[in-house]
Amino acid sequence: MNEHQRVGIGTSLSRIDGVAKVTGTAKYAAEYRVPDMLWGVTVVSAIARGRIVSMDEDAARTVPGVVDIISHLNRPKHAPLNRSWKDELQYPGEPFKAFHDDRIQFAAQPIAVVVAETFEAARFAATLVHVRYEAEPHNIDFEASLAEKFLPGPGDRRNIYHQPKNHGDAESAYAEAPFRLAGDYHLAVEHHMPMEMQASTVHWHGDGTVTIYDKVQGSKTSQEFVASAFGLGAKNVRVVNAFVGGAFGGALRPLWQLHVAVMAAIHLKRSVRVVMTRSQMFSHCHRPECTYQIRLGAGADGKLTAVLGDATTSTSRFEHEMEDIVTWGMINYACPNIQGSYNIAPRDTFTPGDMRAPGGATGMTLFEIAIDELAYIAGADPLAFRLLNYSEVDNMNRRPFTSKALREAYSQGAERFNWAKRTPEPRSMKEGHEFIGWGVATGLWESMFMKTSASAQLTANGHLEVASASSDIGTGTYTVMMQVAADTLGLSPDAITVKLGDSSLPPAPVEGGSWGAASTGAAVQLACQTIAKKLLKAADKVEGRPLGSVSSVDELDFVAGEMIVRNNPARRVALIDAMHASGLDVLEATETASPGMGSMTSLDTKSRNTHSAVFVEARVDEELDQVRITHVVIAVAAGRIINPKLARSQILGGVVMGIGMALHEETVPDNALGKWINHSFGEYHVPAHADIEDIDVIFVDEPDPEVTPLGVKGLGEVGIVGVAAAVSNAIYHATGKRVRSLPITVDKLLAAPIQAGALG
Ligand code: MOS
């Protein structure tokens, strides 16, 4: 193919759904008006564990407009077996089934829904439902839960969990190392706080079919879940998630508002909408809490000789959520002796879940704080220390990468940041009443690819429609699909429409894991390539056969609505002329992209990862220890960039969330009540505009034809990984204070001692 002819891929177009979003015509799950719809407001449990003894509904039922109250006492039948409650990213264990019985498994568990003719009536009546409980002892204290930690057996693990692989004798190497670090690192619970709350609008058609507008990262997963759990049959359930107002992993699984809305609709044979309140958004998944003991040893030359990590993350009492925590450092650095162990600890909360770069954002970030500490112990510049221990290959899996341009990321980031101007000693840079610190960290994430289908339909007026059940969770999938189609068939953006977010379209997985652009893009490309082949055939009927003996689309360029013979550009046929000559009103193709297709290497022979280098400037008030993050440079190596503008936007979002992880975000348990105590935006702090200053994003050129068909590696997640470490490392450089527990709130920083070495 002819690189210079491309018009779509690599172009910084604004998102094609942008105008619809800012003008309000883009509809989210709770915005669809369906005829005769009722409003459901969910009553949630006030205790963390126990049983419902009774529910007094009398007062609630007298509220004008209330239609019914549904709970475990009167709910419609749902599937009794756990295996019917599967979703695409199922965890081993017992899936939560709303209103299943009288058991309470976590605080704010949905226990009843008040359905009314108006939202206001439902909301008021919900406050009048009086519930009596029989409480049982609960525990949501992570420290206490560690007494019950365990490693699930192989059959009890998620299929995407990668077990650490040990090499050498790390204990002995650590014991003998001249430079050593041992530290306990910690990350608090964080909750996904997208702008759009979980919502399901169920349109009950009355003929046995339903259309559900759902807040979810994959229409197919909700469709199959509802069909199976409520026995509706897949052909009777259509799920639409045309627009998703942020999710970050929080909507990968069909969540309880969907159970509740569907049960209410079935019970009443009416259309019903259920939306979680912001407070209820704290009752579903969250990033698990983590404790991570890291020991590192280095030789007199500064080269790592031992990496040991032992981590535990929290899970629920009923499901086993596992993440890759200890593997990242073992993969990233050259070290002969590595050892990792990992457990999970159950407590009485809802099951934690994937949150932007699950595992990596926790494990790599905490590891990059430890590496920084060892660099100081070894008397090395933190960046030089990382380069000294650079690994060209995947150090844990002992195999090459399809590509790894991390070295280039370090050097381009350092140059843009002016790292060479850094003075090495902590507390050595100051302006006015603020200490200035410069920190660096590494980001690492996976490049995944998932089986995805797409269709293309070209009509004789030259209009192309591409479609896939895939989602756009704010990442830019609409635009990516359009650009790949434009590129493949040489059409202008305004000749293309994109459909997605609908289970009736060609099947696609949930959008997550940063695999969306690579996988959906490849499916769209395949479908458009099939259209191209059909066009070549159709061109045969054009008078005079201008394309002559050309027999393969590989000999053609598709540019500006024409097929052009590459080595003889005078020979060309307009796409619509080929269709007219063959009497075609429409050309259609549906194709499926699968792992291993094209020039992709086998998943087992090479590792496929994205990398980044993050540089942070922190300014810390010398008396108050208030932290400002005044400059971030992040250099990202993520293969081919389809749209630099949208790619930058993904990385900016990741960096902002990373700053949140470093300084703000923390869900605090009230151990006595068994609930998260700061369940509101008033008390769960995410970065606001005033917290964010300059962020510079660099994309490092990284051609990689082996990783995925388009050479795309994915960008949704790598932007957060390591950011909080770079912040922690910058704060240490500014103040000489090392805080190993994220977020680094002012109280922790004030309490931390200035390290002896840092005083010079
Ligand atoms: Mo992502 S945490 O896979 O949405």
Side-chain angles (χ1 to χ4, degrees), residues 217 247-250 252 354-358 473 511-515 717:
Q217 286 174 245
F248 315 113
L252 281 167
D354 294 329
M355 180 166 169
R356 207 170 197 162
I473 59 173
E511 181 162 277
S514 301
W515 59 62
E717 289 163 298

Side-chain angles (χ1 to χ4, degrees), residues 149-201:
K149 73 179 184 185
F150 69 102
L151 176 67
D156 248 354
R157 290 174 191 161
R158 284 176 93 184
N159 53 6
I160 56 171
Y161 167 68
H162 304 292
Q163 193 161 359
K165 288 185 197 147
N166 300 340
H167 296 282
D169 181 354
E171 286 288 356
S172 304
Y174 176 76
E176 290 158 15
F179 296 121
R180 278 189 292 191
L181 167 96
D184 288 1
Y185 300 83
H186 174 257
L187 174 73
V189 165
E190 299 178 298
H191 273 79
H192 316 73
M193 282 298 131
M195 292 305 293
E196 185 195 12
M197 290 175 286
Q198 285 301 130
S200 302
T201 301

Side-chain angles (χ1 to χ4, degrees), residues 480-524:
V480 164
M481 287 172 69
M482 186 280 285
Q483 285 184 273
V484 172
D487 200 71
T488 311
L489 287 174
L491 297 171
S492 70
D494 51 17
I496 302 172
T497 50
V498 177
K499 276 193 184 165
L500 56 70
D502 185 332
S503 62
S504 64
L505 299 173
V510 292
E511 181 162 277
S514 301
W515 59 62
S519 311
T520 310
V524 168

Side-chain angles (χ1 to χ4, degrees), residues 458-460 534-535 537-538 576 578-587:
L458 182 66
T459 36
K534 293 185 181 196
L535 283 165
K537 207 173 210 176
I576 54 172
M579 291 182 71
H580 290 150
S582 288
L584 294 165
D585 294 330
V586 62
L587 281 175

Side-chain angles (χ1 to χ4, degrees), residues 454-456 466 489 522-532 588-591:
S455 64
V466 288
L489 287 174
V524 168
Q525 188 186 41
L526 273 185
C528 290
Q529 283 168 344
T530 300
I531 296 286
E588 285 171 296
T590 301
E591 297 289 348

